[in-house]
Amino acid sequence: MEVLERVAFYVMAVIAVASALLVVVNRNPVASAMSLVGTFLAVAGLYLTLNATFLSAIQVLVYAGAIMVLFLFVIMLLNLEREPFDLPGFGRIAGFALSVVLLFSLISLALNATARPETSARGGSGAEIGDVFFSDYLFPFEMASLLLLVAMVGVIVVARRRKPEEEEEGEA
Amino acid sequence: MSDTQVYYLAYLVKLLVVFTLAVGLVPILVYAERRVSALMQFRWGPNRVGPFGLLQPFADMVKLLCKEDLVPERASKVLFTIAPALTCIPPFLVMSFIPVAPSFALAGREMKGVVVDSPVGILLLLALSSLTVYGLAIGGWASNSKYSLLGGLRSSAQMISYELAMGVSVLAVLCVAGTLNLTEIVYRQTQFFGFDATSGNWAGWNVFAQPLAFVIFLIAAFAETNRLPFDLPEAESELVGGYHTEYSSMKFSLFFMGEYIGMVGISSVLVALFLGGWHFPGMHALGLQPGTLPFTILGLLVFLAKIGVLLFFFIHVRWTLPRFRYDQLMRIGWKVLLPLALLNVLVTGAVVAGS
Amino acid sequence: MQENLLELIILIPFASVAVQYFLHRVLPARLAGLIACGAVLVPFLLTVVVGRGIGSAAPQVPAVTATIASWLTGGGLEVAFGLRLDPLSCAWTLVVTGIGFLIHVYSLGYMHHDPGFKRFFIYMNLFIGSMLALVLGDSLPLLFLGWEGVGLCSYLLIGFWFEDMDNARAGQKAFVVNRIGDLGFLLAMLMIFQTFGTLDIATVTSSLSAGHAQGLYPLGDGRITLIALLLFVGACGKSAQLPLFVWLPDAMAGPTPVSALIHAATMVTAGIYMVARFSVFFALAPVASAVVAIVGALTAFVSATIALRQRDIKKVLAYSTCSQLGYMFLGLGVGAYGAAVFHVVTHAFFKALLFLGAGSVIHALSHEQNAMKMGGLKPHLPRTHWTFFVGCFALAGIFPFAGFFSKDKILGEALLGHGWLFPLVGVLGLITALMTAFYTFRLYRLVFTGPERLDDHARAHLHESPATMTLPLVILALLSIVGGALSLPAFAHFDLLGDYLRPIFASALAVAGEHAHHAVNVEVALMLVSLAVVIGGAWWAWNRFAEGPGDQLPLPQSGLPFLLENKWFVDEIYAIFVIGPMRGTALLAGFFDRYVIDGIVNGLARLCDLCGAFVRLLQNGAVHTYALLFLAGAVYLVCSLL
Amino acid sequence: MITVVDYYVVASILFAIGALGFLLRKNVLVMFMSVELMLNSANLVLVASAKSFDLARGSAFALVSVAVAAAEVGVGLAIIIALFRLKATVDAEEITNLRG
């Protein structure tokens, strides 16, 4: 079984990293979005290998099922073209260099970490997470719902197409 | 052969059974659709190929396969190619979460009547079925055609909207069932109508405990499978063919198949969630021992019969009702179904918490 | 139980304010008025209930206390929202809520047509609440809070009709003049804290008398004297005493019920309350007491002289109020604390009655206030007339009306005191009593008898006031008749109020030495003298103004009448000697502010501007630049963790 | 044996790729996607670490972070749409002026 676990981890990790790279490299935004869906699904798979089944389902449901559809929808709505290729300027070269430094520093930071024994008292099932939310973290839970409500109102206000007369009022 | 090997072999067989079911039902459905529609319109329908035209679907398939595989100019080739596959995969995956039959003992272990028995099965099921939208949206976008794009946009908007009502209606069922595990949910329904004396919980088919959720789910199911009266993404009269306008040959047939497997999948979900799964009143009285293979096969047959009835209903509705306008569709989804579903959850939650 | 009721007494008016304020859109005016009235009546009844429980005379001052919440805590300071109902505050609370209720009812009629009806009742209830905080507060800060609260309400209500510039100015004047007094009070408070280390009133007074007993604070101690004087400065501001009395006559710009409630019956007596509350300080500071007595007597005298020639019906009463307040301070100064409080109570009765009666007249005459344009109203306003008549008798101090007993008590204590000071202020008070009787009946004659001098507009709308207005008048009139029974002269051996208040002033009187009881015949003789003086004054006015104002109608151009007509030119003197120099200083300060301080500030701003111009180069609006810098920071953080 | 460290490494790589995408791409949408990538890697670290302590608690944290991400994406996309209406571009290098 342990071999299976290893295989699952490596497959998921490779898919995640590869499609993440595709997100950045693809010049077609839709292809980027689809690659990102791949990354999310792979991360969901990683959650499964961590026994966080509920979170894994939520990851697929929210990220792949909702957030990325929204992205896709917006890309289609704006009807974006492929990004033209242009020569990298100073900022991009610096950005690339910085990212590489970040990568290596993060990895060395990660390797410095000592693996603690995996002694979680509770698993990641829906019932157990529910217990946590409805006892210790009731307030954050409610705040999260409030945040979503506020975000919903905000989105409607911001994205709404204004009528011409309102536009004039806004400018006046 | 050791017990473990027998077990794994049986597992493989189970897998195959479920997937053949899903695929095998497609030609039958296509045939049924055409025959039923013909019956309803006083026509003959296909009756030339094979006895009663039974081989028509295969003839159609051959025809589709032989057609030229066109890829529009300036279309995004990779996306154009993977889009049809993306519509087909999620329904297959959905099927793997459905407990199609009761479990039986095999080689000293319990063999579940489901491919993947996940503790959060219903969530994963919903999550995966929501991925169908990518196929349609990508297909519409990659075709580089305005009809397809509009079809793709419509489908993504429609599916997101109705997924909400659907998910919320399922929440009410989960409140009654008290678990996210589908096998468990079906087991809780192994009584036609009534309460479980020991636990004091509802133990009958959920359609009686949750009629409103059932209706909402049913309506949403039509929208999710892009069937009439919600087939706006592929409205012939407005968008030619919607997202699959530019598709032909095998890719088109994949879209086609995807729609029908989707119907099978959503019908299975309906049966499992609301209609008692493999259970039918009186089946225990036949003298078959629960937990044995014959009982399991009986359960499977019951399940299939239920799916068949639902699929007939799907077809019947398609040839009965006219299509909604797009704004009507959105209004029903957001302003009728979603509030109703939320109300249902509220009331159910209150009742469950109170009892 | 009693504690909870005590809390209710103060919370109800504030709750009512909140209700009226937040629901002012939906509440019908009539209902709002009734709520406001109820919010005063209920505390009155509660006070009666709670106050009955504290009547027992124990060695300790009997009191009910309650702590609503802790308030200021820090360092050695600990102040709570604590309430304390002892005989003194009980008397005041009863006056405030009782008279206040009657005036609220009266206002229902008086303000009936006013567009600011609801606003008026919000202010009124706020005033009642603040006044109760002042009276019931067991600590100096709470007392001060109520003190400022009533000041605010007074300001709001004087300027109630703020559309008129003059009214708004009068409100400002009251506010500013009060500030001067408040400064004194604030300083006194700080000194008390420094001296005693606490701001709890009961603790302060008891530790002072205890300290005196141990020889810590000898008679005439400088520090105590200073505190007493500063307290008196505060009292002067609030109670309109001599240097600071100019705001009260102007305060008559407010609606008449306001004048009755705030500027006659309750708020202006806050100074008396404070001095009475800290009577131990004054008892230990003979100099301060003398100052109180002299200032009181002078105020009584000067105000009475001004009232002699006032033409505005409310101004006459306003100056009379100053004058009567002077009497009260005189009483406090000579150590007749009980008598002063007694006079507060009776004065509240008859001055409220007179103001409300004047309001009724003004109401009937469509807001005509000039007494020269009245006359002959007796048959038109029968109920207003006889209640006003009763009020006049009470104010003039004619036996057996309420004013006679209280005034006589103060005068008796003053005249029969020893040393040069007491008889001096007593004589001043006696002369004032003469003038009081004179101007009171002058006013009565001018308004109600003689030929009618109304203008056409006023005559057209002439009418008796509605029952909501006359009923309070009748009740107050009855109180003015029998109010004297609360505290009969010493020889009658019936002194309800005095007995009730005795524990409060026990320590002060112990310090100063109990007044000797005088022989009965001396007291009776004094009474007869003062009665004769008063009746003489009344008689003189009665005859002189039988046929209207007579020679008082034309404006005098010289001599004493000229001085009196112009109120001794006090306002003008202030304008030259106080306001003028202040204007000059302000001009200088403004110059300094504009060129020196602003110069520094602007210079700094310009420096920042310059710096900003450099930093601005970094903010080029491109997200990528920011992200790059941000990431550089992140990388630095990560590397520093390595 | 797969340990927490392996997950950390994967998360680090994902994070760095996200940062790279944010810095190199000009399309606001793709930049936004990169941000989501970074967020996901952070979540991964959270859940992986939680295995050593309390997985349910860690999952709950991650769940809240997912909810926040959902809200953030909604608002972010709405802003991008409004921006596109105003400037007719999603090129981050062309959107440098706050004033419409």
Side-chain angles (χ1 to χ4, degrees), chain A residues 15-25 32 35-41 43 47 59 63 67-68 71, chain D residues 10-22 29-45 69 72-73:
Chain A
I15 293 178
V17 171
S19 30
L21 270 175
L22 280 177
V23 174
V24 179
V25 171
S32 285
S35 312
L36 194 56
V37 173
T39 311
F40 287 157
L41 291 178
V43 171
Y47 287 154
Q59 166 93 358
Y63 270 113
I67 290 185
M68 287 321 293
F71 263 106
Chain D
V10 174
S12 307
I13 297 173
L14 287 181
F15 192 89
I17 293 174
L20 187 72
F22 192 87
L29 276 159
V30 180
M31 286 163 70
F32 202 15
M33 288 185 212
S34 307
V35 171
E36 293 306 314
L37 202 58
M38 291 194 264
L39 213 60
N40 246 271
S41 83
N43 260 358
L44 189 58
V45 170
E72 170 226 333
V73 165

Side-chain angles (χ1 to χ4, degrees), chain B residues 13-31:
Chain B
V13 170
K14 188 169 73 175
L15 203 76
L16 280 175
V17 166
V18 170
F19 281 82
T20 3
L21 263 180
V23 184
L25 273 173
V26 173
I28 299 172
L29 258 180
V30 175
Y31 174 73

Side-chain angles (χ1 to χ4, degrees), chain C residues 98-182:
Chain C
I99 307 276
F101 170 67
L102 292 175
I103 292 172
H104 270 70
V105 172
Y106 177 90
S107 307
L108 285 179
Y110 190 83
M111 300 300 288
H112 186 61
H113 298 294
D114 199 280
F117 186 84
K118 292 179 189 171
R119 186 163 56 96
F120 181 79
F121 278 102
I122 293 176
Y123 291 165
M124 288 289 266
N125 269 2
L126 188 60
F127 167 77
I128 294 285
S130 307
M131 191 70 198
L132 291 178
L134 193 167
V135 171
L136 293 175
D138 74 347
S139 61
L140 275 158
L142 194 54
L143 198 160
F144 191 65
L145 194 73
W147 187 270
E148 293 298 319
V150 294
L152 171 71
C153 291
S154 160
Y155 162 74
L156 289 173
L157 284 164
I158 292 169
F160 185 72
W161 290 309
F162 54 81
E163 294 89 346
D164 189 346
M165 198 60 203
D166 284 345
N167 295 349
R169 279 231 178 86
Q172 273 177 21
K173 186 173 177 182
F175 211 61
V176 170
V177 174
N178 264 303
R179 277 297 75 67
I180 299 169
D182 292 345

Side-chain angles (χ1 to χ4, degrees), chain B residues 158-328:
Chain B
Q158 174 178 331
M159 290 186 76
I160 295 178
S161 307
Y162 277 78
E163 232 161 54
L164 279 174
M166 192 162 148
V168 176
S169 74
V170 170
L171 271 187
V173 175
L174 297 182
C175 279
V176 174
T179 173
L180 293 174
N181 185 332
L182 267 166
T183 314
E184 193 63 27
I185 292 174
V186 173
Y187 264 109
R188 291 271 168 90
Q189 301 181 72
T190 50
Q191 202 177 329
F192 186 52
F193 185 91
F195 287 91
D196 180 12
T198 49
S199 69
N201 286 327
W202 177 262
W205 290 10
N206 282 334
V207 66
F208 300 114
Q210 289 290 335
L212 186 58
F214 177 70
V215 172
I216 293 169
F217 195 101
L218 193 63
I219 296 173
F222 278 97
E224 287 289 298
T225 50
N226 293 322
R227 294 281 299 190
L228 259 167
F230 299 118
D231 67 337
L232 287 125
E234 41 188 307
E236 295 93 341
S237 46
E238 304 163 36
L239 298 176
V240 189
Y243 51 85
H244 55 57
T245 307
E246 304 291 340
Y247 281 90
S248 64
S249 184
M250 196 58 209
K251 292 191 186 111
F252 174 75
S253 58
L254 271 177
F255 270 125
F256 201 67
M257 242 171 75
E259 181 180 330
Y260 281 97
I261 303 177
M263 271 165 68
V264 174
I266 208 100
S267 305
S268 312
V269 177
L270 260 167
V271 169
L273 280 181
F274 291 99
L275 300 177
W278 43 261
H279 170 261
F280 197 78
M283 67 186 295
H284 289 271
L286 284 179
L288 297 174
Q289 190 61 38
T292 59
L293 192 57
F295 187 80
T296 304
I297 291 171
L298 178 68
L300 182 62
L301 290 178
V302 169
F303 191 85
L304 282 178
K306 284 181 185 173
I307 294 184
V309 172
L310 272 179
L311 289 173
F312 177 77
F313 180 68
F314 267 88
I315 293 166
H316 194 278
V317 166
R318 172 166 177 187
W319 298 101
T320 315
L321 294 182
R323 183 183 295 137
F324 279 107
R325 230 172 41 227
Y326 194 66
D327 60 319
Q328 293 172 327

Side-chain angles (χ1 to χ4, degrees), chain A residues 28 30-31 34 37 53-54 57 60-61 64-65 68-69 72-73 76 79-80, chain B residues 76 79 86 120 123-124 126-127 130-131 133-134 137-138 141 153 156-157 160:
Chain A
N28 181 343
V30 175
M34 290 315 293
V37 173
T53 44
F54 186 79
V60 179
L61 199 64
M68 287 321 293
V69 176
L72 212 56
F73 202 85
M76 289 184 182
N79 206 3
L80 297 180
Chain B
S76 172
L79 293 174
L86 283 178
V120 288
L123 267 183
L124 280 172
L126 283 176
S130 70
L131 296 182
V133 69
Y134 284 112
I138 296 291
W141 191 79
L153 275 177
S156 38
I160 295 178

Side-chain angles (χ1 to χ4, degrees), chain C residues 175-198:
Chain C
F175 211 61
V176 170
V177 174
N178 264 303
R179 277 297 75 67
I180 299 169
D182 292 345
L183 182 66
F185 186 15
L186 205 58
L187 288 175
M189 193 155 100
L190 294 175
M191 280 193 71
I192 286 175
F193 184 64
Q194 197 193 22
T195 311
F196 299 97
T198 176

Side-chain angles (χ1 to χ4, degrees), chain A residues 1-169:
Chain A
M1 287 311 279
E2 200 186 290
V3 179
L4 263 178
E5 219 173 86
R6 285 184 90 110
V7 170
F9 172 79
Y10 283 121
V11 168
M12 292 302 170
V14 167
I15 293 178
V17 171
S19 30
L21 270 175
L22 280 177
V23 174
V24 179
V25 171
N26 250 315
R27 274 188 287 142
N28 181 343
V30 175
S32 285
M34 290 315 293
S35 312
L36 194 56
V37 173
T39 311
F40 287 157
L41 291 178
V43 171
L46 286 175
Y47 287 154
L48 273 185
T49 64
L50 283 167
N51 266 340
T53 44
F54 186 79
L55 191 63
S56 160
I58 292 296
Q59 166 93 358
V60 179
L61 199 64
V62 176
Y63 270 113
I67 290 185
M68 287 321 293
V69 176
L70 209 58
F71 263 106
L72 212 56
F73 202 85
V74 170
I75 295 171
M76 289 184 182
L77 205 66
L78 305 185
N79 206 3
L80 297 180
E81 297 298 318
R82 294 167 71 88
E83 224 172 276
F85 181 79
D86 52 11
L87 283 173
F90 166 76
R92 289 176 153 205
I93 295 168
F96 183 78
L98 255 179
S99 302
V100 171
V101 174
L102 182 71
L103 176 68
F104 283 107
S105 53
L106 275 179
I107 287 181
S108 48
L109 197 63
L111 292 177
N112 272 354
T114 44
R116 287 163 146 271
E118 295 180 358
T119 52
S120 169
R122 284 183 285 192
S125 78
E128 282 158 314
I129 293 173
D131 269 348
V132 171
F133 265 132
F134 288 105
S135 56
D136 295 354
Y137 297 132
L138 189 59
F139 184 68
F141 182 67
E142 296 296 339
M143 289 321 287
S145 64
L146 192 68
L147 175 76
L148 286 171
L149 180 68
V150 171
M152 193 160 81
V153 175
V155 167
I156 291 170
V157 171
V158 173
R160 191 175 55 124
R161 195 185 291 277
R162 287 187 182 81
K163 291 178 190 131
E165 60 265 32
E166 278 183 82
E167 200 87 66
E168 280 165 23
E169 273 173 33

